[in-house]
């Protein structure tokens, strides 16, 4: 089979166009083995290949190089073609494919859900003989629409749009049509349009001039001409939709077992569709089981980046127990736990796991032996076996700290395989872990497929970190800095910063295999989700890294960074005393302010003289970790004051040595709030302020931009999921530019403006590529927020809501409706609101206890994540007043 490729691309002297593809004749995707095209003049390049006549499909991509160096290549969406064996010669006339300006519409959120078109094509014309195939990419075609083509030929309707020929999805978002080339008189002039499937409905043309195509010589009967790589030229109005964010554990139904599960998520799809919403956003659903206590309720501390949490198994979908006594016992437990206002994490997991174990005893062998399970195992064994071994060792060793796992402290692939073998003593527990993950996978796929069928997008959440004692840190420690902790600098969520306790990433090692660890993580999400949120996307620019000896996040530093040398600091005019400014100490005059009546006790017990006026912490308590250990188990007022005050002293430095380059220094964040800053001379304060401003706001702008582009570009390209980023907090100047270039949707919140000197975000001038929301799981819902700061709310009431007089004490349903309406009216592509804030619009639905709607308090590292909807999904489906209000607001805002 003879195949000829043509591409019109203007180059300069010395540049060459090459073709790489999926077949050996095109290098099997190895650029070094790609075929160089021949220049034929006028910007035209040509390549002829002989391919096996039985070849069925081919994918390929063009790239530009000079002196064997890649300059740039086409967008990652390859040219694709399926040979049908009708002819022995194919001639491709391709167009170079650039990154689309409307990239989100090419993601699976649209192609598999919102705008999904069936793969079974409508009749696109002849399928054999001497033909010409037109291929175009058009993602913004809704389910009730089709791409059509007309032109200056009888076969194309002679420019009559009513006679335009429909194209077939090939697959969507590509469209194609086969034309009888003997009925075409060249030059061919044509244009595409999008119309409703009902021809009587309005249509719109693509923009720009008519398209022209001509052949220098008539094709022979054995040739098929393919024109591909064409993008639909559109200036469509901004498409927008609405959705709901709710943790799966927070869902409640009559069938759930004290916690939301995958069956509830399935029902949630029905409510979303009923209210004309299009997206369900959830929190991370990975397994977080460390201690089997409520402390494992923190969903962002995964022990596996692949495994799902067993508590999300829907027991009613799993199947019934044959033992009637046990079945009755669990039915009573289900009623008891489901009646609780909040999630009882420990009880829920204890009894749901017990039910699953009993069901496994009943049906497990048959399931493990089934072809369906074997297929799942084959596809997932790379992560499933280490996870199952980890769970077994965690429970038998009674700790997730694998450094205490004796001979298994260091991961061994051979030992892991022996542990997971059917003849192993661990097989019963290992196979139970397999069983749980298989059930979770099959149930989640059922939910995912159902959501796609109903045009609803499931949006996941990708945590920035992993648990310090996770499967991944055990099996792949090279990817982590285990001597550090990730967190966040001080922000609106926490004045002392946040310490998440996760290890930080070794990006240098990750880059050596082209970020394979991250790519697998991104790709795993596509099993269930068509959209996801990158938690703390700022971590791809730089992470806030905290030494292990600190509990709080105040004495962290950004990594990577460009720390100062001693000479750098002195150039700002600061007299730099290294010991004094890097050693935590406190002046005597501040002790009574910190400790009150216990100042003398603290001085004699915990402090040692540094000089005549200052003290350092004694060696037994000279880190926050030591202080925490000394005072743990005590909750009285004295202990609380001592802990808080000693933590302050441990933070009392102005500079931090870089842990990897100790001759370099980072200014301490919020240094001007320290006691040590108050002791500086006026000149040194001025110098510190200048270097601080330069360091945190200017010095790293280009450096962090480069880091983010290096990290995020290959990761965003490796998935077809719609990517959103949580870009809150201390935002580097380059963040909007990078996210805009990669077309990653930003997060916009009215009460957290990103523009300096603004108290509230201008909701009517948000970027289109963004997600706007009223609040997040780390914030108070609308009604809680209304009561937090009366002066601020008064300004909001008068200036933003444009209401006169004194703001009411409570946020009424009317006010909540206005706030929600303002968010829906914003230009953001997605408006995804917490379910609590939808409830706030209806006095008959919203919960009386306002404080109980808060999901998380970031300043509290030991927060119990247990919020649960107060009404069932069954009752929510019947809440006609609320549901109609949501429909009216969404429709009135132009969202669809």
């Amino acid at each position: 089979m003879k195949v000829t490729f043509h591409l019109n691309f203007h180059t300069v002297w010395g540049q060459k166009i090459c073709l790489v593809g999926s077949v050996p004749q095109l290098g099997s995707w190895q650029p070094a083995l790609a075929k160089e095209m021949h220049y034929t003049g006028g910007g035209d390049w040509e390549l002829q290949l002989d391919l096996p006549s039985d070849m069925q499909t081919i994918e390929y991509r063009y790239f530009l190089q000079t002196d064997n160096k890649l300059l740039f290549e086409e967008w990652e969406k390859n040219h694709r073609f399926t040979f049908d064996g009708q002819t022995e010669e194919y001639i491709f006339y391709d167009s170079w494919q650039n990154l689309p300006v409307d990239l989100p519409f090419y993601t699976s959120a649209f192609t598999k859900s919102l705008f999904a078109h069936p793969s079974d094509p409508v009749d696109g014309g002849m399928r054999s003989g001497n033909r010409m195939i037109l291929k175009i990419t058009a993602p913004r075609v809704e389910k009730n629409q089709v791409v059509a083509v007309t032109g200056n030929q009888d076969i194309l309707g002679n420019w009559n749009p009513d006679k335009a020929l429909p194209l077939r999805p090939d697959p969507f978002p590509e469209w194609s049509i086969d034309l009888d080339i003997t009925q075409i008189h060249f030059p061919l002039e044509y244009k595409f349009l999008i119309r409703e499937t009902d021809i009587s409905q309005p249509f719109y043309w693509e923009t720009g001039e008519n398209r022209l195509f001509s052949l220098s010589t008539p094709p022979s009967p054995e040739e098929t001409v393919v024109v591909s790589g064409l993008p639909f030229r559109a200036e469509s109005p901004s498409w927008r939709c609405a959705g709901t964010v709710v943790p799966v554990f927070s869902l409640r139904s009559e069938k759930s077992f004290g916690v939301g599960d995958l069956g509830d998520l399935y029902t949630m799809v029905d409510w979303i569709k009923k209210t004309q919403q299009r997206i369900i956003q959830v929190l991370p659903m990975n397994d977080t089981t460390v201690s089997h206590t409520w402390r494992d309720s923190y969903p962002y501390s995964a022990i596996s980046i692949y495994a799902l949490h067993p508590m999300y198994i829907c027991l009613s979908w799993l199947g019934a127990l044959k033992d009637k006594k046990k079945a009755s016992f669990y039915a009573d437990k289900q009623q008891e736990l489901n009646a609780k206002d909040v999630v009882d994490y420990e009880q829920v997991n204890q009894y749901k796991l017990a039910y699953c174990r009993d069901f496994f005893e009943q049906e497990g062998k048959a399931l493990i032996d089934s072809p369906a399970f074997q297929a799942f195992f084959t596809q997932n064994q790379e992560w499933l076996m280490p996870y199952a071994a980890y769970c077994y060792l965690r429970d038998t060793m009674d700790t997730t700290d694998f450094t205490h796992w004796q001979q298994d402290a260091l991961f061994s692939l051979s030992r892991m395989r022996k542990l997971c073998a059917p003849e192993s003593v661990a097989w019963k527990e290992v196979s139970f872990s397999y069983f749980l993950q298989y059930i979770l996978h099959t149930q989640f796929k059922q939910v995912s497929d159902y959501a796609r069928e109903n045009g609803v997008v499931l949006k996941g959440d990708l945590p920035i970190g992993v648990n310090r004692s996770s499967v991944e840190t055990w099996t792949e420690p090279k990817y982590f800095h285990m001597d550090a902790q990730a967190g966040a600098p001080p922000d609106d969520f926490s004045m002392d910063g946040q310490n998440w306790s996760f290890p930080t990433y070794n990006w240098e090692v990750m880059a050596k295999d082209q970020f394979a660890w991250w790519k697998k993580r991104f790709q795993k999400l596509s099993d269930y989700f068509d959209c996801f949120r990158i938690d703390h996307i700022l971590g791809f620019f730089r992470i806030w890294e905290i030494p292990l000896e600190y509990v709080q996040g105040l004495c962290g530093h950004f990594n990577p960074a460009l720390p100062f040398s001693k000479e750098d600091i002195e150039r700002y005019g600061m007299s730099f005393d290294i010991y004094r400014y890097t050693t935590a100490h406190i002046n005597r005059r501040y002790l009574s302010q910190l400790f009150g009546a216990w100042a003398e006790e603290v001085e004699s017990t915990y402090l040692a003289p540094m000089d005549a006026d200052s003290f350092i912490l004694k060696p037994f308590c000279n880190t926050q970790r030591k202080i925490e250990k000394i005072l743990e188990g005590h909750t009285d007022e004295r202990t609380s004051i001592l802990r808080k005050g000693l933590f302050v002293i441990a933070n009392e430095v102005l500079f931090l040595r870089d842990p990897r380059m100790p001759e370099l220094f980072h200014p301490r964040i919020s240094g001007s709030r320290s006691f040590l800053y108050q002791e500086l001379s006026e000149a040194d304060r001025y110098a510190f302020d200048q270097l601080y401003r330069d360091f945190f706001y200017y010095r790293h702008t280009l450096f962090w931009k480069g880091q983010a582009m290096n990290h995020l570009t290959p990761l965003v390209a490796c998935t077809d999921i719609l990517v959103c980023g949580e870009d809150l907090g201390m935002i580097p100047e380059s963040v909007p530019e990078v996210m805009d270039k990669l077309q990653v949707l930003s997060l916009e919140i009215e009460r957290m403006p990103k523009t300096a000197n603004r108290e509230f975000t201008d909701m009517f001038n948000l970027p289109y590529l963004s997600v706007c929301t009223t609040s997040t799981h780390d914030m108070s819902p609308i009604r809680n927020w209304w009561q937090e700061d009366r002066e601020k709310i008064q300004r909001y009431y008068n200036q933003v809501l444009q209401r006169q007089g004194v703001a009411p004490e409570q946020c009424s349903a009317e006010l909540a409706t206005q706030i929600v309406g303002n968010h829906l009216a914003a230009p953001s592509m997605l408006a995804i609101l917490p379910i609590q804030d939808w409830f706030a619009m209806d006095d008959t639905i919203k919960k009386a206890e306002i404080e109980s709607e808060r999901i998380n308090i970031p300043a509290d590292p030991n927060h119990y994540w247990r919020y649960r909807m107060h009404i069932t999904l069954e009752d929510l489906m019947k809440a006609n007043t609320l549901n109609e209000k949501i429909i009216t607001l969404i429709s009135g805002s132009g969202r669809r």
Side-chain angles (χ1 to χ4, degrees):
M1 180 170 60
K2 180 180 178 182
V3 180
T4 305
F5 300 90
H6 292 272
L7 179 73
N8 186 268
F9 191 95
H10 291 275
T11 60
V12 299
W13 181 258
Q15 294 179 340
K16 299 175 182 179
I17 297 291
C18 297
L19 191 58
V20 67
S22 58
V23 298
Q25 293 81 357
L26 289 177
S28 299
W29 296 120
Q30 298 297 317
L33 301 177
K35 294 292 185 182
E36 185 178 308
M37 301 187 76
H38 306 290
Y39 185 65
T40 59
D44 293 324
W45 297 79
E46 180 181 295
L47 175 68
Q48 290 187 359
L49 291 178
D50 288 320
L51 299 178
S53 57
D54 60 351
M55 181 170 290
Q56 295 182 345
T57 61
I58 187 173
E59 291 191 28
Y60 57 95
R61 186 164 68 241
Y62 297 95
F63 65 89
L64 181 69
Q65 72 173 21
T66 181
D67 297 328
N68 294 320
K69 292 182 180 179
L70 176 70
L71 293 180
F72 59 89
E73 59 184 342
E74 285 188 293
W75 178 43
E76 290 81 2
K77 294 295 183 184
N78 306 316
H79 298 265
R80 294 189 299 260
F81 190 78
T82 300
F83 301 104
D84 58 10
Q86 297 295 329
T87 56
E88 285 299 315
E89 185 170 352
Y90 291 86
I91 305 175
F92 291 89
Y93 291 89
D94 291 327
S95 296
W96 184 279
Q97 297 186 140
N98 289 312
L99 182 73
V101 296
D102 55 352
L103 182 62
F105 291 95
Y106 287 79
T107 64
S108 63
F110 289 89
T111 61
K112 293 182 180 180
S113 182
L114 296 171
F115 293 174
H117 287 265
S119 56
D120 291 333
V122 296
D123 185 10
M126 65 177 293
R127 297 294 291 170
S128 62
N130 197 350
R131 62 197 159 134
M132 176 179 182
I133 302 174
L134 293 178
K135 294 171 66 70
I136 187 171
T137 303
R140 292 197 59 174
V141 185
E142 299 192 41
K143 290 183 177 181
N144 60 337
Q145 297 175 330
V146 67
V147 178
V149 62
T150 186
N152 65 343
Q153 313 278 327
D154 290 341
I155 193 175
L156 294 180
N158 286 315
W159 295 114
N160 184 346
D162 291 339
K163 295 182 179 180
L165 297 180
L167 280 70
R168 61 182 179 273
D170 190 27
F172 182 69
E174 293 185 0
W175 302 77
S176 68
I177 186 171
D178 295 13
L179 302 173
D180 185 345
I181 203 167
T182 63
Q183 297 185 37
I184 298 176
H185 306 285
F186 294 97
L188 168 65
E189 189 174 356
Y190 64 102
K191 204 166 191 177
F192 296 101
L193 57 94
I194 293 177
R195 73 181 188 205
E196 307 293 314
T197 49
D198 179 355
I199 296 179
S200 65
Q201 296 298 312
F203 66 91
Y204 64 90
W205 295 95
E206 65 174 338
T207 60
E209 299 295 325
N210 297 336
R211 298 178 185 267
L212 292 172
F213 181 78
S214 186
L215 291 172
S216 56
T217 58
S220 69
E222 294 79 23
E223 291 178 349
T224 292
V225 175
V226 182
V227 181
S228 76
L230 305 173
F232 187 88
R233 304 183 305 240
E235 292 180 0
S236 309
S238 298
W239 184 93
R240 301 175 302 137
C241 73
T244 294
V245 55
V246 59
V248 174
F249 63 75
S250 298
L251 297 174
R252 180 190 296 270
S253 74
E254 294 171 1
K255 296 181 179 179
S256 50
F257 203 100
V259 68
D261 57 36
L262 287 163
D264 296 333
L265 187 58
Y266 187 99
T267 305
M268 185 69 179
V269 171
D270 295 332
W271 181 72
I272 291 291
K273 184 177 182 181
K274 181 184 180 74
T275 53
Q276 297 183 11
Q277 299 181 67
R278 308 300 292 271
I279 296 182
I280 304 173
Q281 178 179 328
V282 300
L283 269 56
M285 297 174 63
N286 298 90
D287 192 358
T288 57
T289 307
V290 172
S291 63
H292 297 286
T293 68
W294 66 265
R295 293 182 181 277
D296 299 341
S297 66
Y298 179 32
Y300 289 87
S301 185
I303 62 165
S304 167
I305 60 174
Y306 304 108
L308 297 168
H309 202 302
M311 74 177 176
Y312 293 120
I313 289 176
C314 175
L315 297 185
S316 61
W317 284 6
L318 180 61
L321 295 177
K322 295 176 182 178
D323 186 319
K324 294 183 178 180
K325 185 176 180 181
K326 286 185 176 180
S328 176
F329 170 80
Y330 288 120
D332 290 342
K333 276 295 173 187
Q334 187 261 344
Q335 293 293 323
E336 174 190 333
L337 293 172
N338 224 24
K340 294 192 175 187
D341 291 336
V342 293
V343 177
D344 187 333
Y345 184 90
E346 293 179 13
Q347 291 276 294
V348 160
N349 280 278
Q350 177 185 343
Y351 290 108
K352 288 195 76 169
L353 272 177
Y355 185 103
C356 290
R357 195 173 290 279
D358 285 336
F359 189 84
F360 180 67
E361 291 289 338
Q362 177 181 297
E363 308 288 349
K365 187 179 186 306
L367 186 145
I368 294 292
D369 292 338
S370 70
F373 172 81
Q374 292 301 320
F376 165 78
F377 180 80
T378 300
Q379 186 176 2
N380 295 278
Q381 61 180 318
E382 182 182 358
W383 66 264
L384 186 59
M385 290 177 68
Y387 167 75
Y390 171 97
C391 291
Y392 172 77
L393 292 167
R394 172 198 63 199
D395 294 341
T396 55
M397 299 291 185
D398 198 28
T399 179
T400 55
D401 185 350
F402 46 79
T403 62
H404 295 157
W405 286 357
Q406 300 169 10
Q407 66 266 43
D408 290 301
L410 294 178
F411 177 75
S412 164
L413 185 61
S414 60
R415 283 190 57 79
M416 183 269 293
R417 286 175 175 165
K418 289 180 182 178
L419 198 65
C420 293
E423 62 273 14
S424 166
V425 294
W427 174 246
K428 183 176 180 180
E429 293 304 313
V430 164
S431 59
F432 181 57
S433 292
Y434 292 169
F435 162 79
L436 292 175
Q437 291 304 311
Y438 172 70
I439 295 299
L440 285 159
H441 172 74
T442 55
Q443 291 191 355
F444 210 162
K445 284 294 291 182
Q446 184 177 347
V447 176
S448 179
D449 292 345
Y450 184 67
R452 287 171 177 162
E453 291 167 7
N454 284 276
V456 173
V457 173
L458 295 183
K459 180 182 178 184
D461 196 339
L462 181 81
I464 186 61
V466 298
N467 189 284
R468 178 169 296 278
S469 299
S470 65
V471 179
E472 283 72 35
T473 55
W474 178 47
T475 59
E476 300 174 294
K478 64 182 181 180
Y479 289 135
F480 304 93
H481 289 305
M482 297 300 291
D483 59 348
Q485 310 170 94
D491 55 19
D492 290 348
F493 296 126
S494 176
M495 293 298 290
D496 291 322
Q498 299 177 54
N499 185 345
W500 304 324
S501 298
F502 309 141
T504 57
Y505 295 115
N506 190 333
W507 287 106
E508 292 78 10
V509 171
M510 288 180 161
K512 291 179 181 178
D513 60 11
Q514 290 76 51
F515 307 104
W517 186 88
W518 279 103
K519 289 178 180 178
K520 288 187 288 186
R521 192 177 181 191
F522 274 41
Q523 290 162 358
K524 179 61 178 175
L525 287 168
S526 66
D527 284 354
Y528 316 113
F529 300 107
D530 290 315
C531 179
F532 69 88
R533 162 192 180 270
I534 300 178
D535 170 51
H536 196 66
I537 197 172
L538 306 184
F540 288 86
F541 292 74
R542 78 292 183 272
I543 197 69
W544 189 245
E545 186 174 270
I546 306 161
L548 285 178
E549 61 264 27
Y550 285 93
V551 175
Q552 297 173 326
L554 204 57
C555 280
H557 64 275
F558 287 121
N559 183 26
L562 303 171
F564 288 134
S565 66
K566 180 177 184 292
E567 293 72 26
D568 290 333
I569 295 170
E570 290 176 339
R571 273 194 285 270
Y572 283 90
M574 189 172 188
S575 51
F576 186 47
D577 183 330
I578 294 179
Y579 177 73
R580 188 167 191 82
Y581 292 156
T582 61
T583 302
H585 66 280
I586 190 75
N587 191 292
R588 184 192 306 274
R589 64 174 172 268
Y590 301 121
L591 294 181
S592 60
Q593 181 179 335
L594 288 173
F595 300 102
W598 292 283
E600 290 187 11
E601 177 190 347
V602 168
E603 180 179 338
S604 61
T605 306
Y606 299 99
L607 304 180
M610 179 183 189
D611 55 35
D613 299 315
S614 301
F615 297 94
I616 58 173
L617 292 164
K618 290 181 177 179
F620 81 94
C621 63
N622 61 357
T623 71
Q624 289 186 344
R625 290 292 174 195
K626 292 178 180 179
I627 296 165
E628 182 182 48
K629 184 70 175 176
I630 293 167
L631 300 177
E632 68 179 352
H634 302 282
T635 58
D636 57 283
E637 179 187 4
R638 169 188 168 277
T639 303
S640 177
I641 290 174
L642 261 58
R643 179 186 293 109
K644 182 178 180 180
L646 293 172
F647 274 15
V648 168
I649 296 175
N651 287 329
E652 277 294 307
V653 294
L654 282 180
F655 291 90
L656 299 144
R657 287 186 182 272
D658 187 274
R660 298 168 188 88
M661 297 176 288
E663 73 282 0
L664 300 179
F665 305 89
H666 302 258
R668 202 210 79 178
I669 194 87
S670 302
S672 61
R673 290 172 43 213
S674 69
F675 292 116
L676 188 52
Y677 177 86
Q678 305 306 318
E679 297 181 25
L680 295 177
S681 68
E682 185 175 345
D684 279 347
R685 283 190 200 177
Y686 178 82
F688 183 83
D689 291 344
Q690 297 306 305
L691 69 85
Y692 183 97
R693 186 169 62 92
D694 287 349
F695 186 86
F696 285 108
Y697 297 102
Y698 300 105
R699 183 177 177 89
H700 297 90
T701 299
L702 294 178
F703 178 66
W704 285 338
K705 175 185 174 182
Q707 294 291 319
M709 292 301 296
N710 289 339
H711 299 159
L712 283 172
T713 301
L715 300 184
V716 172
C718 80
T719 179
D720 65 353
I721 298 180
L722 177 60
V723 181
C724 306
E726 182 264 289
D727 54 334
L728 304 177
M730 191 174 181
I731 307 172
E733 184 179 342
S734 58
V735 170
E737 179 186 354
V738 170
M739 293 180 69
D740 186 61
K741 186 170 184 177
L742 298 178
Q743 299 189 54
V744 174
L745 275 62
S746 64
L747 180 61
E748 309 295 336
I749 302 176
E750 188 172 40
R751 67 181 96 156
M752 291 189 70
K754 297 175 181 176
T755 304
N757 303 316
R758 287 195 67 98
E759 187 171 23
F760 305 105
T761 301
D762 181 359
M763 300 301 293
F764 298 100
N765 285 291
L766 296 180
Y768 175 59
L769 293 184
S770 68
V771 180
C772 74
T773 186
T774 48
S775 59
T776 74
H777 60 270
D778 283 333
M779 303 167 67
S780 304
I782 289 175
R783 293 193 299 146
N784 304 58
W785 174 64
W786 196 268
Q787 297 183 336
E788 288 177 353
D789 186 336
R790 291 300 304 163
E791 292 183 0
K792 187 172 187 174
I793 289 299
Q794 184 63 56
R795 292 190 295 273
Y796 179 79
Y797 183 78
N798 298 142
Q799 298 169 15
V800 178
L801 299 184
Q802 295 290 299
R803 289 174 175 254
Q804 303 299 314
V806 178
E809 293 291 327
Q810 302 284 336
C811 181
S812 65
E814 179 188 1
L815 289 169
T817 301
Q818 182 180 355
I819 295 170
V820 167
N822 287 347
H823 283 72
L824 293 174
S828 302
M829 173 185 277
L830 309 180
I832 307 178
L833 310 186
I835 199 163
Q836 306 97 304
D837 290 344
W838 288 118
F839 291 165
M841 299 194 306
D842 190 331
D843 288 330
T844 66
I845 296 294
K846 66 187 182 185
K847 192 173 184 180
E849 301 83 14
I850 295 176
E851 288 301 322
S852 64
E853 291 188 325
R854 182 83 187 250
I855 295 175
N856 181 41
I857 301 174
D860 180 5
N862 297 313
H863 183 74
Y864 191 172
W865 297 61
R866 61 190 319 203
Y867 165 71
R868 199 161 182 226
M869 288 168 49
H870 61 290
I871 64 171
T872 65
L873 288 164
E874 291 86 353
D875 287 339
L876 185 58
M877 290 290 291
K878 301 172 188 174
N880 293 331
T881 301
L882 174 63
N883 294 338
E884 287 299 324
K885 182 178 283 189
I886 293 173
I887 293 170
T888 300
L889 284 172
I890 291 174
S891 176
S893 71
R895 295 185 180 270
R896 42 204 285 196

